[in-house]
Structure formats: structure tokens, C-alpha cells
């Protein structure tokens, strides 16, 4: 009994000592964070009560909060500290840092779907996969996808032609989203889902549904524990969607591997001599080739994670970018006229011919329009990071373990970087104006080591889709910006879509 008493005493002493030192570290952490001003905070709850607003008012509330507390402020989600950054010189400190690259807590909710692919992974796995995948986004390879961009854009314009008789207008967002899904599915996996032809696809439905479920879970802390979430109706729907999404991707991987083994897929290193060949190579084929030549080939599960990541990042963000650009052009006919005039000049030799990559390279004004749209409405409005090393930001020393919220949507509205920041002005992206700004004043595709690997792909796709639409139709927005409710989902989207009318395109006199 005496020995047991001694052992129990030792356990209590050890645990008490650990608890004491944890509490002391925690107290230092809290005091350090609370040196930064921010919304009122309550014990255990943090600033949750301050941010307790309906989802359709969350964007306006977040922008108002930033206006009140910027440029650097803190909030608390329960026990988790978040420091918000809104200035380019502060954001550069984290974006241009090769060590503080770990993603924030919110990305954990994507793990069941995306695993630890490029978007969600950290450390050595992220580094090795990034190094392996980067060559598959070479511009010469991207050019081989033009046929897919054009083909799916033609289907889109045919679908939109059926809406010309709709004099009261319609929501163009679902049409754009299905087109983007068709494009990314064929380019990422080499497989067609024909989302534009049929909305009954299980895969299409599962992509839409799981995105909603992930966001709703993020917004409800009581659903964060996987055990609790799995018992709910939403948790069961989430699991059913995962089976559909993962099953489809795994089946495609098996088929592509079998085709490669049988010699039925052209390899990426044949691109130079076969340039212009109509046979398409998917990212999955290029990834398989890169993996096979690597010292540490990707497992089937790692392949699945990366392909699912391509699918997630490559359709929703692009669809949002396209929809916002059409909304802005439909609201500013003078800029739409300039885009059309540029297209008329590019296709003057043959107005009816298909778009190619050389045409896209000449679409300078359209490119400025796309960039300005992404400035005002970045598809991903916030990026989360967690500090693995201390960081000095202005007068504040940020501790290890602190989460950062990089507010892209606020950054893009810095008045000292963009005169009249709320006004749609494509000339913000004239070369002489770009040179005047801070290098980190515009980051719709992130920046630094963890920048978006597919940004050239996205820009080429958006040019092709927008040019296809604007060559055939004049777009008229039926709502003003003040009437649009902006929603913060996994992307920045208009709550009720983008309501437009279309008119057959006539030549500008």
C-alpha cells in the first residue's frame, strides 16, 4: 500500500507539474494574443457571440468588422486564436515564408474528401508532391487542353441559346458551373461526366452536396467531432457522397493505369513531336507518368487525393470567377463593348472560326477584365495558415500555434493600392499601374511557395469560355451590386446566382 501511495503521489506530482507548465504557457499565449485589439471576447466562447449573424449577412459583417479593427486584429473561436491580416506588407511576411506554410484548422474538414493532397497537406509530403506535380502544368501541356475548353464552351453557348426567349432573364451560374465541371473532369481524369447534358449525374450531385455539407459543418462547432457528425443525418449524407466521389475517382485511376499498361495512352514526353495532336492527355496520365519515374511513386490513395483535389479546386473556383466576370460585364456595358471590340479584331480574318491558344494570348483587355473581377470578388476570399514559428507583424509578436486569416477580399480593397477600390476598373491591371503597387497587393491565387499551381490553367479556361459567350451574346445583368447578397461558402458566390438577359450579338458600329 505504501508503494502504491508513493506511485500515486508521483503521478499526481508529474501531472500537476505538466498542467502547471501548460497553464503558464497558455496564459502567456493568451496575453500575447490579447495585446492585439479586436472584437469583445468572452471566456470559453471567444468572439463567437460577436460574429453570430445569419449566413446571408456574414460577408457584410466580416467586411464591417475588418473596417473597424484593421489592419491587424484578433478574434477567438473558442480556445483558438485567429489573427487577421489585411495589408500587403504584413501578408508578404507569411506568403513569402518557406516555413510557415501549414494550412489552418478549417482545412481539416476537407480531409475526408481530399485527404492530404496539395491543398491540404503539409511538410515533406506537400513539398515532394508539389515538386512532382508542377511540371504537369507547363504551358505547352495546358495548350493541349484548348480542344476541351472549346468543345465544352460550344455546348455551353448552345444551352444559353435556348435562354434567348427568356425575356424576364435567368440565372446563368448553374450553366457556368456545369461547363466548368465538364472541363475539369475531362482534363483532370480523361473521363466525361456530361454535366451539361444531364443534371442527374450522381457525381455532379455529390460534388454540389458535399461542398454544402463541409461548409455547414465548419459553421457548427458541435459538429466538429467526427464521432458526433457521423451520427447526424448530414454526416450520413456526407458519407454517401464520399462513396460516390471516391468510387468514381478510383475507378478512373484503375482504368487509366490499365490503359497505360496496354499502351493506350500517349505519354507526356511525346508532347513536342505530337504538338497539335487531337488525342488528349489528362492530368491523371501526366501524374501517373511522373509518379512512375519518381523514386517514391504515389500510392493509389495518394493519386486519388490529388485527382480529387484537382476536381475540387478546378471547377468551383473557376465557375465563380466566370460568373462574377459576366455579372460585372453585364453591369458595365462600356467595358463589355471594349471586350467585344477586341474579339472582333482578333477574329477579323474569320469571324466563325474556333478559338485557339494564340487567340487567347491576344485577349489583353479581357485578361484585365478577368483580373479586375478577381480583385473585387476573389473566388477564395480568405486563406488560413497556422504558425509553426514565431512571426513579427508590425508591432505584434505572433506566437507559435496562432492561426492566421489572410483576408484576400480586404487586401484587394486597400485604398492606397487601388484608387476607388470598390469601382470596377480593368485598367488597374495596365502594366504601368501594376508596377506602382506592392507585389502582394493582388493574390487571388495565393502567392509564394503555396500559390495555386493551376492559375495559368484557370486563366486560359476563363478566356476561352468568356470569349465563346461574348462572341455570340450581349450579356445584360438584371441586378445591381447593392441588390446582390454575397455568400461566403467554400468560395465567394452570389446567394441567388447571377441573373442576366442575353441578346444575340450584333457588330459594334
Amino acid at each position: 500500500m505504501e508503494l502504491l501511495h508513493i506511485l500515486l503521489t508521483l503521478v499526481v506530482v508529474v501531472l500537476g507539474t505538466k498542467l502547471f507548465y501548460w497553464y503558464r504557457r497558455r496564459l502567456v499565449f493568451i496575453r500575447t494574443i490579447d495585446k492585439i485589439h479586436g472584437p469583445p471576447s468572452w471566456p470559453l466562447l471567444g468572439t463567437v457571440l460577436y460574429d453570430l449573424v445569419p449566413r446571408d449577412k456574414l460577408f457584410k459583417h466580416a467586411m464591417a468588422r475588418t473596417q473597424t479593427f484593421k489592419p491587424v486584429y484578433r478574434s477567438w473561436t473558442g480556445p483558438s486564436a485567429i489573427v487577421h491580416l489585411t495589408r500587403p506588407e504584413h501578408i508578404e511576411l507569411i506568403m513569402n515564408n518557406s516555413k510557415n506554410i501549414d494550412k489552418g484548422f478549417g482545412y481539416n474538414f476537407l480531409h475526408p474528401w481530399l485527404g492530404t493532397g496539395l491543398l491540404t497537406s503539409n511538410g515533406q509530403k506537400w513539398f515532394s508532391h508539389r515538386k512532382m506535380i508542377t511540371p504537369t502544368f507547363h504551358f505547352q501541356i495546358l495548350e493541349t487542353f484548348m480542344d476541351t475548353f472549346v468543345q465544352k464552351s460550344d455546348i455551353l453557348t448552345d444551352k444559353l441559346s435556348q435562354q434567348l426567349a427568356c425575356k424576364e432573364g435567368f440565372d446563368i451560374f448553374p450553366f457556368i458551373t456545369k461547363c466548368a465541371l465538364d472541363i475539369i473532369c475531362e482534363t483532370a481524369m480523361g473521363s466525361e461526366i456530361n454535366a451539361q447534358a444531364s443534371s442527374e449525374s450522381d457525381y455532379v450531385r455529390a460534388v454540389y452536396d458535399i461542398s454544402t455539407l463541409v461548409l455547414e459543418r465548419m459553421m457548427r462547432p458541435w459538429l466538429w467531432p467526427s464521432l458526433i457528425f457521423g451520427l447526424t443525418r448530414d454526416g450520413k449524407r456526407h458519407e454517401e457522397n464520399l462513396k460516390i466521389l471516391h468510387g468514381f475517382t478510383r475507378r478512373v485511376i484503375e482504368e487509366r493505369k490499365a490503359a497505360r499498361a496496354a499502351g493506350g495512352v500517349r505519354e507526356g514526353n511525346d508532347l513536342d513531336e505530337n504538338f497539335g495532336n487531337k488525342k488528349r492527355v489528362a492530368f491523371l496520365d501526366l501524374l501517373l507518368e511522373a509518379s512512375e519515374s519518381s523514386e517514391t511513386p504515389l500510392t493509389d490513395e495518394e493519386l486519388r487525393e490529388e485527382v480529387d483535389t484537382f476536381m475540387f479546386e478546378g471547377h468551383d473556383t473557376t465557375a465563380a470567377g466566370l460568373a462574377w466576370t459576366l455579372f460585372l460585364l453585364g453591369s458595365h456595358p462600356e467595358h463589355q463593348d471594349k471586350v467585344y471590340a477586341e474579339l472582333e479584331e482578333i477574329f477579323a480574318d474569320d469571324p466563325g472560326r474556333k478559338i485557339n491558344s494564340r487567340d487567347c494570348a491576344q485577349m489583353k483587355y479581357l485578361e484585365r477584365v478577368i483580373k479586375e473581377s478577381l480583385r473585387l470578388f476573389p473566388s477564395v476570399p480568405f486563406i488560413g495558415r497556422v504558425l509553426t514559428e514565431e512571426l513579427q507583424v508590425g508591432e505584434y509578436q505572433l506566437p507559435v500555434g496562432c492561426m492566421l486569416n489572410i483576408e484576400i477580399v480586404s487586401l484587394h480593397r486597400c485604398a492606397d493600392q487601388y484608387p476607388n477600390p470598390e469601382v470596377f476598373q480593368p485598367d488597374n491591371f495596365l502594366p504601368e499601374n501594376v508596377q506602382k503597387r506592392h507585389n502582394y497587393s493582388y493574390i487571388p491565387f495565393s502567392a509564394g511557395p503555396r500559390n495555386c499551381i493551376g492559375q495559368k490553367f484557370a486563366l486560359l479556361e476563363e478566356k476561352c469560355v468568356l470569349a465563346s459567350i461574348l462572341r455570340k451574346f450581349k450579356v445584360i445583368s438584371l441586378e445591381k451590386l447593392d441588390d446582390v447578397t454575397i455568400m461566403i461558402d467554400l468560395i465567394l458566390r452570389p446567394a441567388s446566382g447571377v441573373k442576366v438577359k442575353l441578346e444575340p450579338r450584333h457588330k459594334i458600329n
Side-chain angles (χ1 to χ4, degrees), residues 47 49 66 153 194 316 330 367 400 432 483 492:
T47 59
L49 294 180
T66 297
S153 297
N194 298 315
D316 223 5
E367 182 170 329
V400 172
E432 58 268 28
D483 302 324
L492 198 65

Side-chain angles (χ1 to χ4, degrees), residues 146-158:
M146 279 299 300
D147 281 350
T148 300
F149 296 163
V150 171
Q151 179 191 21
K152 304 307 180 187
S153 297
D154 285 346
I155 295 172
L156 171 63
T157 55
D158 286 344

Side-chain angles (χ1 to χ4, degrees), residues 10 29 37 56 75 84 96 121 194 200 203 224 242 253 260 264 283 294 353 370 407 409-410 412 414 486 491:
L10 284 173
F29 181 87
H37 74 154
D56 61 349
S75 63
H84 303 255
N96 201 28
S121 61
N194 298 315
E200 302 305 314
Y203 187 86
W224 290 358
L242 286 179
I253 290 171
R260 285 181 63 79
F283 281 126
S294 172
R353 69 175 172 81
I370 293 169
E407 297 195 4
V409 71
S410 299
H412 286 179
C414 285
I486 302 173
I491 59 167

Side-chain angles (χ1 to χ4, degrees), residues 284-390:
L284 175 55
D285 301 315
L286 299 166
L287 193 57
L288 285 166
E289 183 181 350
S291 174
E292 289 164 4
S293 60
S294 172
E295 293 180 3
T296 55
L298 300 177
T299 65
D300 282 356
E301 193 60 16
E302 287 174 327
L303 285 166
R304 197 272 307 159
E305 291 173 349
E306 298 301 352
V307 173
D308 280 342
T309 297
F310 288 163
M311 289 296 301
F312 168 68
E313 289 200 279
H315 94 273
D316 223 5
T317 52
T318 306
L322 287 165
W324 281 119
T325 302
L326 287 170
F327 168 76
L328 288 166
L329 286 175
S331 304
H332 298 82
E334 70 279 15
H335 294 299
Q336 187 174 168
D337 287 348
K338 288 182 180 180
V339 171
Y340 183 63
E342 178 179 72
L343 295 174
E344 286 283 275
E345 184 177 347
I346 291 170
F347 295 97
D349 60 326
D350 184 0
R353 69 175 172 81
K354 301 290 186 184
I355 300 171
N356 58 48
S357 58
R358 290 181 295 278
D359 298 326
C360 289
Q362 296 179 63
M363 297 175 189
K364 301 298 184 183
Y365 193 77
L366 179 57
E367 182 170 329
R368 296 206 297 274
V369 163
I370 293 169
K371 288 181 176 179
E372 177 69 352
S373 300
L374 287 171
R375 180 186 74 81
L376 287 169
F377 301 109
S379 298
V380 180
F382 311 103
I383 294 176
R385 295 283 177 86
V386 59
L387 288 184
T388 53
E389 290 188 352
E390 288 188 352

